[in-house]
Amino acid sequence: MRVYRGHLIHIGGAPRLDGAREHLVSIPDGALAVDDAGMIGYSGAYPGLPESAAGAEIIDCRPGFLLPGFVDTHIHFPQTHCVDSYGGGQLLDWLQRCIFPAEAMLADTGYARRVARDFCSRRIAVGTTTALVFGSAFPHAQDALFEESIAAGLRTISGRGIQTVGPAAAGPLLTGDAEAIDLTHNEIERWHNHAGGLTHAAVVPRFALSVTETTLRALGELYEDASADGVYFHTHLSENRGEIEAVRADYGVEHYLDTYDGRCAGGGVSLLGRRSVFAHAVHCTDHELSRLAETGSSIAHCPTSQLFLGSGTMPWQRTTASGVTVALGTDVSAGDEWLIPRVLNDCFKVHISEPEGQGLSIPPADLLFTATLAGARALDLEDRIGNLDAGKEADFLVVDPQRQALLPELLARTDPEDADRLLFTLLMSMREDVIDGVYVRGRLVTEPG
Ligand code: GUN
Ligand code: ZN
């Protein structure tokens, strides 16, 4: 057993968003006792350490903080080198001009391996212990991603990006329907619930415009079986107004979500459910929000990306009030920032600025909840991760404020007992340099090869 001593901050228990504030735990002289299996045996005040921790090695992280690992519920692995992409327009222009050609470069196995290493390396630097990763079209690239993730010790859920139709620029990423199903099956067999449960597979059609009704119907049949084994479903939904109009025109549906919900003209099995995560959901109708909520599906909210592509602002109050779980995603590379607290910073700013009386100053505990426990819930992993309660697997970060200019001064001006104020300072101000240790299941994750 090891004991980490520092200022412990997390959202304890299992509240909903509206209970996050009451569940904010902040213990200035705190301790986490982690056993040899990587489980949290004790979480609380250092002076209250139980007898069983006597003789354990003590790692003194003071004046550092102990935070839950960040959960990124939407990030694109094949876009690791693309955060600077100028598309000359919004989503569809950016995809065609920058992203499809960049993703096609992963056809080269050596390059795909380099991208996988860089991807894992960035995740470690920014403390993203768990991620739902939008994958490459190429199976060798997906193998590289899973292998590098396992070598590093990260938690990764991913699936190859499925595309069966698209513009010429998407050509190298396309397959036929039968091949798409075969490759997806194969990936599930290789990587689902692998590495002691640190990797999982997902079924990932890029978005409705990258596939057809036939593809979605076949994926529905596949997912009917795969979802019983805990395979995930992940895609984009209602991100951009031009995209939504194109989906409605192509599919003849009233609501974008209908395409994934088995409600195209030909019918089919719904892809919604408790392991289904939809990125963006900026412009959803009430019907869409209630279908997401009643099926236990979740939203990966990506405010940094929405700013970058001019996609609009997901209405925070209306969306969270619908009962759907709203977690956070960087959406690298439309999101040009890897660090989850920087995405929270944008989240705070865009929602305080919402028009027509909808603006809200999101409380710091709600921000932390969205970046950690809500992510774990969206990924149906709340029984294992998402906070630092005893009994969970020890996915945590050691944050050393002394590694960032002026952060110690900002924190020194805050009463350590004023948890809200202190958390706000930390989340809004921190940069990745302060992340001093990243642990998954009690093990320090390390830079790949
Ligand atoms: N919709 C379809 N593909 C993408 C993508 O790569 N990024 C974003 N932000 N939206 C998409
Ligand atoms: Zn995306």
PDB file of all heavy atoms in Angstrom, residues 255 283-292 318 322:
ATOM      1  N   HIS A 255     -35.777  14.678 -37.470  1.00  0.00           N
ATOM      2  CA  HIS A 255     -34.747  14.961 -36.470  1.00  0.00           C
ATOM      3  C   HIS A 255     -33.456  14.238 -36.848  1.00  0.00           C
ATOM      4  O   HIS A 255     -33.496  13.048 -37.194  1.00  0.00           O
ATOM      5  CB  HIS A 255     -35.181  14.443 -35.088  1.00  0.00           C
ATOM      6  CG  HIS A 255     -36.510  14.964 -34.656  1.00  0.00           C
ATOM      7  ND1 HIS A 255     -36.668  16.214 -34.105  1.00  0.00           N
ATOM      8  CD2 HIS A 255     -37.742  14.407 -34.703  1.00  0.00           C
ATOM      9  CE1 HIS A 255     -37.943  16.412 -33.829  1.00  0.00           C
ATOM     10  NE2 HIS A 255     -38.623  15.332 -34.183  1.00  0.00           N
ATOM     11  N   HIS A 283     -27.532  21.724 -31.399  1.00  0.00           N
ATOM     12  CA  HIS A 283     -28.801  22.282 -31.902  1.00  0.00           C
ATOM     13  C   HIS A 283     -29.936  21.267 -31.772  1.00  0.00           C
ATOM     14  O   HIS A 283     -30.778  21.141 -32.673  1.00  0.00           O
ATOM     15  CB  HIS A 283     -28.629  22.683 -33.382  1.00  0.00           C
ATOM     16  CG  HIS A 283     -27.469  23.594 -33.629  1.00  0.00           C
ATOM     17  ND1 HIS A 283     -27.479  24.931 -33.289  1.00  0.00           N
ATOM     18  CD2 HIS A 283     -26.235  23.360 -34.154  1.00  0.00           C
ATOM     19  CE1 HIS A 283     -26.308  25.483 -33.613  1.00  0.00           C
ATOM     20  NE2 HIS A 283     -25.541  24.548 -34.139  1.00  0.00           N
ATOM     21  N   CYS A 284     -29.985  20.536 -30.696  1.00  0.00           N
ATOM     22  CA  CYS A 284     -30.987  19.467 -30.565  1.00  0.00           C
ATOM     23  C   CYS A 284     -32.394  20.000 -30.330  1.00  0.00           C
ATOM     24  O   CYS A 284     -32.589  21.020 -29.662  1.00  0.00           O
ATOM     25  CB  CYS A 284     -30.613  18.547 -29.394  1.00  0.00           C
ATOM     26  SG  CYS A 284     -29.371  17.347 -29.844  1.00  0.00           S
ATOM     27  N   THR A 285     -33.362  19.253 -30.837  1.00  0.00           N
ATOM     28  CA  THR A 285     -34.762  19.551 -30.564  1.00  0.00           C
ATOM     29  C   THR A 285     -35.126  18.927 -29.204  1.00  0.00           C
ATOM     30  O   THR A 285     -34.395  18.065 -28.695  1.00  0.00           O
ATOM     31  CB  THR A 285     -35.660  18.924 -31.647  1.00  0.00           C
ATOM     32  OG1 THR A 285     -35.449  17.488 -31.622  1.00  0.00           O
ATOM     33  CG2 THR A 285     -35.308  19.445 -33.031  1.00  0.00           C
ATOM     34  N   ASP A 286     -36.276  19.327 -28.670  1.00  0.00           N
ATOM     35  CA  ASP A 286     -36.714  18.732 -27.391  1.00  0.00           C
ATOM     36  C   ASP A 286     -36.891  17.221 -27.542  1.00  0.00           C
ATOM     37  O   ASP A 286     -36.569  16.456 -26.641  1.00  0.00           O
ATOM     38  CB  ASP A 286     -38.044  19.359 -26.940  1.00  0.00           C
ATOM     39  CG  ASP A 286     -37.840  20.780 -26.440  1.00  0.00           C
ATOM     40  OD1 ASP A 286     -36.677  21.133 -26.119  1.00  0.00           O
ATOM     41  OD2 ASP A 286     -38.823  21.539 -26.396  1.00  0.00           O
ATOM     42  N   HIS A 287     -37.410  16.818 -28.707  1.00  0.00           N
ATOM     43  CA  HIS A 287     -37.597  15.384 -28.939  1.00  0.00           C
ATOM     44  C   HIS A 287     -36.262  14.649 -28.844  1.00  0.00           C
ATOM     45  O   HIS A 287     -36.164  13.587 -28.223  1.00  0.00           O
ATOM     46  CB  HIS A 287     -38.232  15.146 -30.322  1.00  0.00           C
ATOM     47  CG  HIS A 287     -38.114  13.724 -30.786  1.00  0.00           C
ATOM     48  ND1 HIS A 287     -38.926  12.720 -30.304  1.00  0.00           N
ATOM     49  CD2 HIS A 287     -37.240  13.129 -31.650  1.00  0.00           C
ATOM     50  CE1 HIS A 287     -38.565  11.564 -30.865  1.00  0.00           C
ATOM     51  NE2 HIS A 287     -37.543  11.791 -31.671  1.00  0.00           N
ATOM     52  N   GLU A 288     -35.229  15.218 -29.460  1.00  0.00           N
ATOM     53  CA  GLU A 288     -33.912  14.563 -29.445  1.00  0.00           C
ATOM     54  C   GLU A 288     -33.365  14.475 -28.013  1.00  0.00           C
ATOM     55  O   GLU A 288     -32.861  13.421 -27.598  1.00  0.00           O
ATOM     56  CB  GLU A 288     -32.939  15.321 -30.353  1.00  0.00           C
ATOM     57  CG  GLU A 288     -33.284  15.126 -31.823  1.00  0.00           C
ATOM     58  CD  GLU A 288     -32.458  16.008 -32.752  1.00  0.00           C
ATOM     59  OE1 GLU A 288     -32.272  17.206 -32.448  1.00  0.00           O
ATOM     60  OE2 GLU A 288     -32.022  15.517 -33.794  1.00  0.00           O
ATOM     61  N   LEU A 289     -33.497  15.565 -27.279  1.00  0.00           N
ATOM     62  CA  LEU A 289     -32.979  15.539 -25.901  1.00  0.00           C
ATOM     63  C   LEU A 289     -33.731  14.510 -25.067  1.00  0.00           C
ATOM     64  O   LEU A 289     -33.130  13.780 -24.272  1.00  0.00           O
ATOM     65  CB  LEU A 289     -33.080  16.928 -25.259  1.00  0.00           C
ATOM     66  CG  LEU A 289     -32.113  17.976 -25.840  1.00  0.00           C
ATOM     67  CD1 LEU A 289     -32.321  19.327 -25.161  1.00  0.00           C
ATOM     68  CD2 LEU A 289     -30.662  17.527 -25.697  1.00  0.00           C
ATOM     69  N   SER A 290     -35.042  14.422 -25.271  1.00  0.00           N
ATOM     70  CA  SER A 290     -35.757  13.451 -24.431  1.00  0.00           C
ATOM     71  C   SER A 290     -35.451  12.016 -24.855  1.00  0.00           C
ATOM     72  O   SER A 290     -35.354  11.136 -24.006  1.00  0.00           O
ATOM     73  CB  SER A 290     -37.251  13.748 -24.327  1.00  0.00           C
ATOM     74  OG  SER A 290     -37.833  13.571 -25.562  1.00  0.00           O
ATOM     75  N   ARG A 291     -35.221  11.766 -26.137  1.00  0.00           N
ATOM     76  CA  ARG A 291     -34.800  10.405 -26.553  1.00  0.00           C
ATOM     77  C   ARG A 291     -33.432  10.060 -25.969  1.00  0.00           C
ATOM     78  O   ARG A 291     -33.206   8.939 -25.523  1.00  0.00           O
ATOM     79  CB  ARG A 291     -34.733  10.304 -28.084  1.00  0.00           C
ATOM     80  CG  ARG A 291     -36.024  10.030 -28.791  1.00  0.00           C
ATOM     81  CD  ARG A 291     -36.648   8.708 -28.407  1.00  0.00           C
ATOM     82  NE  ARG A 291     -35.924   7.539 -28.903  1.00  0.00           N
ATOM     83  CZ  ARG A 291     -36.013   6.322 -28.352  1.00  0.00           C
ATOM     84  NH1 ARG A 291     -36.771   6.121 -27.281  1.00  0.00           N
ATOM     85  NH2 ARG A 291     -35.340   5.317 -28.860  1.00  0.00           N
ATOM     86  N   LEU A 292     -32.520  11.030 -25.986  1.00  0.00           N
ATOM     87  CA  LEU A 292     -31.193  10.772 -25.397  1.00  0.00           C
ATOM     88  C   LEU A 292     -31.350  10.441 -23.916  1.00  0.00           C
ATOM     89  O   LEU A 292     -30.764   9.471 -23.418  1.00  0.00           O
ATOM     90  CB  LEU A 292     -30.268  11.994 -25.570  1.00  0.00           C
ATOM     91  CG  LEU A 292     -29.824  12.309 -27.008  1.00  0.00           C
ATOM     92  CD1 LEU A 292     -29.081  13.647 -27.058  1.00  0.00           C
ATOM     93  CD2 LEU A 292     -28.933  11.196 -27.575  1.00  0.00           C
ATOM     94  N   ARG A 318     -30.921  24.225 -20.771  1.00  0.00           N
ATOM     95  CA  ARG A 318     -31.962  23.392 -21.396  1.00  0.00           C
ATOM     96  C   ARG A 318     -31.454  21.959 -21.570  1.00  0.00           C
ATOM     97  O   ARG A 318     -32.186  20.993 -21.340  1.00  0.00           O
ATOM     98  CB  ARG A 318     -32.330  24.003 -22.754  1.00  0.00           C
ATOM     99  CG  ARG A 318     -33.407  23.263 -23.470  1.00  0.00           C
ATOM    100  CD  ARG A 318     -33.888  24.040 -24.701  1.00  0.00           C
ATOM    101  NE  ARG A 318     -34.317  23.083 -25.691  1.00  0.00           N
ATOM    102  CZ  ARG A 318     -33.629  22.748 -26.770  1.00  0.00           C
ATOM    103  NH1 ARG A 318     -32.473  23.348 -27.028  1.00  0.00           N
ATOM    104  NH2 ARG A 318     -34.093  21.851 -27.598  1.00  0.00           N
ATOM    105  N   SER A 322     -32.754  18.469 -19.319  1.00  0.00           N
ATOM    106  CA  SER A 322     -33.472  17.368 -19.989  1.00  0.00           C
ATOM    107  C   SER A 322     -33.199  16.026 -19.310  1.00  0.00           C
ATOM    108  O   SER A 322     -33.867  15.037 -19.580  1.00  0.00           O
ATOM    109  CB  SER A 322     -33.048  17.281 -21.458  1.00  0.00           C
ATOM    110  OG  SER A 322     -31.741  16.718 -21.560  1.00  0.00           O
TER     111      SER A 322
END
